Amino acid sequence: MSKILIRGAKVLGGEPQDVLIDGDTIAEVGTGLSAEGAEVVDAAGKVLLPGLVDLHTHLREPGREDSETVLTGTRAAASGGYTAVFAMANTFPVADTAGVVEQVYRLGQEHGYCDVQPIGAVTVGLEGKKLAELGAMHESAAGVTVFSDDGKCVDDAVIMRRALEYVKAFGGVVAQHAQEPRLTEGAQMNEGVVSAELGLGGWPAVAEESIIARDVLLAEHVGSRVHICHLSTAGSVEIVRWAKSRGIDVTAEVTPHHLLLTDELVRSYNPVYKVNPPLRTERDVMALREALADGTIDIVATDHAPHPHEDKDCEWAAAAMGMVGLETALSVVQQTMVETGLLDWAGVADRMSVKPARIGRATGHGRPVSAGEPANLTLVDTAYRGAVDPAGFASRSRNTPYEGRELPGRVTHTWLRGKATLVDGKLA
Amino acid sequence: MQRHLISAADLTRDDAVHLLDTAEEMARVADRPIKKLPTLRGRTVVNLFFEDSTRTRISFEAAEKRLSADVINFTAKGSSVSKGESLKDTAQTLEAMGVDAVVIRHGASGAPYRLATSGWIDAVVINAGDGTHQHPTQALLDAFTMRRRLVGRDAGLGRDLAGKRITLVGDILHSRVARSNVDLLHTLGAEVTLVAPPTLLPVGIESWPCEVAYDLDSTLPKSDAVMMLRVQRERMNAAFFPTEREYSRRYGLNGDRMAKMPEHAIVMHPGPMVRGMEITAEVADSDRCTAIEQVTNGVSIRMAVLYLLLGGNEPAVSHTRIEEK
Ligand SMILES: [Zn+2]
């Protein structure tokens, strides 16, 4: 196996150091390391992070390969600095059996751009009625530990309770898409001042908050672990903060777009801003940033949701919900969290690698940048400034809300177990 | 004025008054034996209706024909059109046919805005009602009716509705008519009050330039015009209010209630009126009710809109001007 010397990188944003990769492992971290026999990567001024881990990705394969495949999705992930992604279960067929999750897992291993850890559906067909074979998915080659009906809420309180109880047997976690279905019938955007004016169906904050409140209480009652997907409101933050203070085993994620964008953008009626949960208000955005900084929200997850052009190039009501996010996530976090002083780079490593790996039990990821650890690494040029150009995306879809927007930072290199998947900003 | 008419909020006070004045000019044409002007000869206007509305379509069609435009009616409902992308496809087909203006009615809020701004077509876009968003020509014809009745037909020329107190009653939540009227009436200087049960008022209404009340009886004596909005019976099943009878009792306009209004005050209705729930036959048929006039005025307003957006610099009523010399 080959040696790579990453020279002069600010490890987790700290003092410049050299990092020597030997084969699939970090061999040494220090200053003035010998370059003998190693390929040298000049990392002066750049920040080195553990490979990012996304707990919430939609890869669309099987079933919607016109939007994304495991190959294109993992190439997008590598471009964004990710070394592991958790693939959501809402594919066609739904990932609710051992067969489907193994297929997705194996595709990830074959392509080699990024580890793909499938998420299993909580209920058969995401229908919310009957538990899927959670144990079989866990015991499969994919070793599923995270279960979610994402895209839909497990709204039946009894099914949710049973799922929380059942996964305790193998240390699993239920990731809830918190959306009270009756309160969000016909919902098109955040319910508030803007929806009132635009005449678009409202998605009230309370539809998210009431489910989170219920689920943290259920998790407490049965002594299990619950994870809240894409939390989006200031009220949700308060509930999670209360639950944590009470010792409830709850974790939560926020998406990059909920850290930056508000429902004011919907005034353009441009469906590129249509997402579920919807973009909220400035007040919510600020509360989410604070919560991510103080640890109430544990992680950033992309909710990367690729859609073909025609599903967005139409009137708002007819458009699909979702945005791609893998290739812009770190830049948005740099702008909203690092450049605002809310989080340092060690904090970013924690929220985008260490914690998501821990929640999803991805033991080979989110490790310290030190000798003996798997060489899953991401190198970031934080001084870079540039407008987002979707034409350069590795993802098969281009539905980004950031087209033409200037964002800071650019991932230049990604290594998955010592093998470069991204070199100088180009996929290997 | 802007190139398209998407929202009543896009109109400045001067734009709006100019439109109302132009509509008065157009109304005079209707009083002639030959109700036709050559203004839009050679121009093609498409009425693109994705949602049924015979009344609005016929009103636009009459306006277009009186201005001598070539008219194409395209009713998407019931055709193969069902997916969202059809709006773009249909628009581009019409564009390829060299259409000058598209009058669009669509069930989705924002569809006309998308049509006007997404680069799919070059034609002028006129919103004939989109979802629960806007219906600007309705607001204009309502304002026109109010100005005629409350300020005066000739006395009103050049004037707005400053100080007039207008009350809108009923299903504000689902009403594009209410949204358009609040915007336009505010621009024209009127004081607007919305009256409805709280379930039929949108969350976020606090930011609208109007007052909100739950009680109809106390607002009636302070109203120069009361506009009753259509309440669909299906709303009852969705628990917006308990029963039709309770709705009528609290928010319906009957003779007794009309008697609480000032003597000069008018009753308006965008139609079609379903007598019973929101308005009794006694009120609907009284000479204070302007529902029929509103229909007539709709044609004049739509002529004015088409003329101002498409007519360019030529005078609308050229021989009238010649006669005046
Ligand atoms: Zn998702």
Side-chain angles (χ1 to χ4, degrees):
Chain A
M1 288 292 265
S2 59
K3 286 186 180 181
I4 299 163
L5 181 70
I6 305 167
R7 184 176 273 161
K10 294 189 274 183
V11 178
L12 269 52
E15 289 304 307
Q17 284 188 296
D18 300 340
V19 175
L20 182 69
I21 300 173
D22 188 357
D24 59 6
T25 309
I26 298 172
E28 222 180 329
V29 179
T31 46
L33 298 188
S34 163
E36 201 184 314
E39 177 198 334
V40 176
V41 174
D42 176 16
K46 295 181 184 174
V47 168
L48 188 69
L49 301 172
L52 306 182
V53 177
D54 189 12
L55 199 66
H56 191 149
T57 305
H58 296 271
L59 291 178
R60 305 295 187 214
E61 187 176 3
R64 282 308 300 268
E65 290 82 356
D66 58 326
S67 313
E68 195 81 287
T69 63
V70 174
L71 177 60
T72 59
T74 52
R75 284 167 65 90
S79 298
Y82 288 88
T83 53
V85 298
F86 285 73
M88 274 298 173
N90 62 339
T91 49
F92 306 97
V94 171
D96 58 3
T97 63
V100 179
V101 294
E102 284 192 354
Q103 180 200 356
V104 172
Y105 173 76
R106 292 217 163 92
L107 284 169
Q109 293 299 307
E110 279 167 27
H111 298 319
Y113 279 97
C114 181
D115 285 346
V116 175
Q117 185 54 57
I119 291 173
V122 177
T123 64
V124 175
L126 308 176
E127 282 173 357
K129 298 202 172 71
K130 192 173 174 300
L131 285 184
E133 289 189 44
L134 309 178
M137 288 189 273
H138 177 69
E139 281 160 21
S140 74
V144 175
T145 55
V146 183
F147 298 91
S148 182
D149 278 359
D150 179 57
K152 287 183 174 178
C153 181
V154 182
D155 67 303
D156 184 310
V158 173
I159 297 280
M160 187 61 185
R161 173 197 172 146
R162 299 290 181 237
L164 287 167
E165 286 178 310
Y166 197 80
V167 300
K168 288 199 313 182
F170 41 87
V173 62
V174 179
Q176 176 68 291
H177 173 122
Q179 176 180 7
E180 211 293 319
R182 286 278 281 143
L183 284 173
T184 51
E185 279 169 18
Q188 295 286 332
M189 68 172 298
N190 179 49
E191 182 169 73
V193 167
V194 182
S195 67
E197 203 175 304
L198 298 185
L200 287 172
W203 198 135
V206 67
E208 174 174 307
E209 293 153 4
S210 58
I211 293 290
I212 296 175
R214 182 199 75 176
D215 287 353
V216 295
L217 293 173
L218 282 174
E220 176 179 47
H221 183 64
V222 304
S224 189
R225 194 156 76 94
V226 67
H227 175 75
I228 309 301
C229 292
H230 40 52
L231 183 148
S232 70
T233 78
S236 298
V237 167
E238 289 308 312
I239 293 164
V240 170
R241 190 171 281 143
W242 170 84
K244 285 187 166 179
S245 75
R246 200 175 153 98
I248 297 171
D249 201 351
V250 56
T251 52
E253 71 191 32
V254 62
T255 70
H257 47 272
H258 287 111
L259 290 172
L260 180 62
L261 310 175
T262 71
D263 65 352
E264 288 292 329
L265 291 162
V266 182
R267 291 184 188 280
S268 68
Y269 283 108
N270 186 343
V272 79
Y273 301 115
K274 186 173 174 180
V275 66
N276 188 12
L279 300 178
R280 304 289 188 181
T281 66
E282 184 74 15
R283 179 175 156 265
D284 295 304
V285 166
M286 292 306 154
L288 295 170
R289 290 183 186 181
E290 292 290 339
L292 182 64
D294 72 22
T296 302
I297 294 176
D298 301 82
I299 65 169
V300 174
T302 67
D303 195 8
H304 176 79
H307 291 294
H309 181 65
E310 60 271 24
D311 287 5
K312 287 289 194 180
D313 192 31
C314 55
E315 59 273 27
W316 181 277
M321 290 188 277
M323 309 170 163
V324 292
L326 286 167
E327 293 168 81
T328 47
L330 193 59
S331 293
V332 175
V333 171
Q334 181 177 336
Q335 177 169 329
T336 57
M337 300 300 296
V338 180
E339 298 189 349
T340 53
L342 286 165
L343 218 53
D344 58 15
W345 285 104
V348 173
D350 180 70
R351 308 300 197 272
M352 296 185 78
S353 177
V354 177
K355 290 266 174 61
R358 198 176 294 161
I359 294 167
R361 303 284 194 259
T363 48
H365 293 273
R367 305 291 307 168
V369 182
S370 52
E373 296 289 350
N376 296 318
L377 296 165
T378 291
L379 190 60
V380 192
D381 176 3
T382 56
Y384 175 86
R385 292 287 182 283
V388 175
D389 178 11
F393 281 1
S395 172
R396 182 161 283 179
S397 294
R398 304 276 181 270
N399 51 304
T400 174
Y402 310 116
E403 180 168 8
R405 185 189 276 255
E406 182 164 300
L407 290 177
R410 191 173 71 109
V411 176
T412 63
H413 293 73
T414 308
W415 291 276
L416 175 62
R417 283 180 292 277
K419 181 174 162 277
T421 54
L422 188 79
V423 178
D424 287 327
K426 293 185 186 68
L427 286 159
Chain B
M1 242 174 77
Q2 306 202 0
R3 204 167 89 78
H4 309 284
L5 181 59
I6 306 299
S7 166
D10 297 340
L11 298 168
T12 64
R13 185 246 174 224
D14 289 352
D15 285 341
V17 170
H18 183 44
L19 266 162
L20 300 184
D21 290 351
T22 307
E24 282 291 2
E25 213 174 331
M26 296 297 174
R28 281 184 220 124
V29 176
D31 298 338
R32 298 181 188 170
I34 298 170
K35 304 174 175 33
K36 212 163 164 111
L37 294 172
T39 318
L40 297 185
R41 189 176 288 154
R43 318 294 297 273
T44 304
V45 181
V46 173
N47 298 315
L48 179 58
F49 277 55
F50 287 86
E51 192 183 71
D52 283 335
S53 175
T54 312
R55 293 165 57 98
T56 303
R57 187 182 54 72
I58 290 175
S59 178
F60 268 105
E61 196 174 340
E64 290 149 8
K65 288 184 167 162
R66 281 187 195 170
L67 292 171
S68 305
D70 294 326
V71 179
I72 301 172
N73 285 312
F74 183 95
T75 307
K77 198 165 185 192
S79 72
S80 62
V81 169
S82 60
K83 283 192 73 184
E85 63 206 75
S86 65
L87 173 61
K88 181 185 175 185
D89 292 345
T90 308
Q92 289 183 332
T93 304
L94 298 175
E95 178 81 348
M97 293 173 178
V99 164
D100 298 294
V102 177
V103 174
I104 176 176
R105 170 71 155 243
H106 202 289
S109 298
Y113 184 89
R114 280 289 277 165
L115 191 62
T117 58
S118 55
W120 299 333
I121 60 169
D122 281 331
V124 164
V125 176
I126 297 168
N127 183 2
D130 62 326
T132 52
H133 178 222
Q134 282 275 332
H135 193 358
T137 58
Q138 176 73 42
L140 284 162
L141 76 87
D142 290 336
F144 183 82
T145 307
M146 289 176 213
R147 195 177 74 167
R148 274 196 161 185
R149 285 284 199 125
L150 304 175
V151 185
R153 183 169 177 157
D154 293 318
L157 286 173
R159 295 186 47 194
D160 58 22
L161 293 169
K164 300 297 172 201
R165 296 161 304 175
I166 318 293
T167 302
L168 275 69
V169 186
D171 186 356
I172 309 295
L173 178 63
H174 302 96
S175 176
R176 51 194 169 212
V177 175
R179 281 175 179 75
S180 315
N181 264 289
V182 169
D183 288 335
L184 184 68
L185 292 172
H186 173 71
T187 300
L188 290 171
E191 292 163 23
V192 182
T193 303
L194 303 178
V195 180
T199 48
L200 290 174
L201 293 164
V203 167
I205 200 170
E206 315 79 61
S207 65
W208 292 14
C210 60
E211 296 294 314
V212 174
Y214 304 138
D215 178 47
L216 179 57
D217 289 295
S218 59
T219 55
L220 290 174
K222 303 178 279 186
S223 302
D224 296 307
V226 176
M227 189 184 301
M228 304 305 293
L229 298 172
R230 172 93 179 274
V231 177
Q232 292 179 334
R233 296 203 152 99
E234 305 91 86
R235 304 289 182 225
M236 200 179 80
N237 302 325
F240 286 103
F241 50 87
T243 63
E244 207 174 300
R245 213 173 41 191
E246 174 157 324
Y247 182 87
S248 292
R249 202 179 290 138
R250 292 174 64 84
Y251 298 100
L253 192 60
N254 55 25
D256 289 346
R257 281 214 165 103
M258 190 167 65
K260 295 181 181 171
M261 293 165 53
E263 235 166 82
H264 69 273
I266 54 173
V267 175
M268 305 182 72
H269 197 294
M273 286 190 286
V274 181
R275 288 150 202 246
M277 185 144 76
E278 73 262 5
I279 193 162
T280 61
E282 180 191 3
V283 176
D285 295 332
S286 86
D287 58 6
R288 299 173 74 173
C289 179
T290 61
I292 302 299
E293 273 170 67
Q294 286 169 263
V295 174
T296 308
N297 293 342
V299 177
S300 305
I301 278 292
R302 287 166 182 134
M303 286 173 77
V305 167
L306 285 158
Y307 163 70
L308 290 174
L309 291 179
L310 278 173
N313 300 321
E314 301 151 46
V317 193
S318 48
H319 41 291
T320 308
R321 301 266 163 101
I322 293 161
E323 283 162 17
E324 279 165 5
K325 276 184 184 169

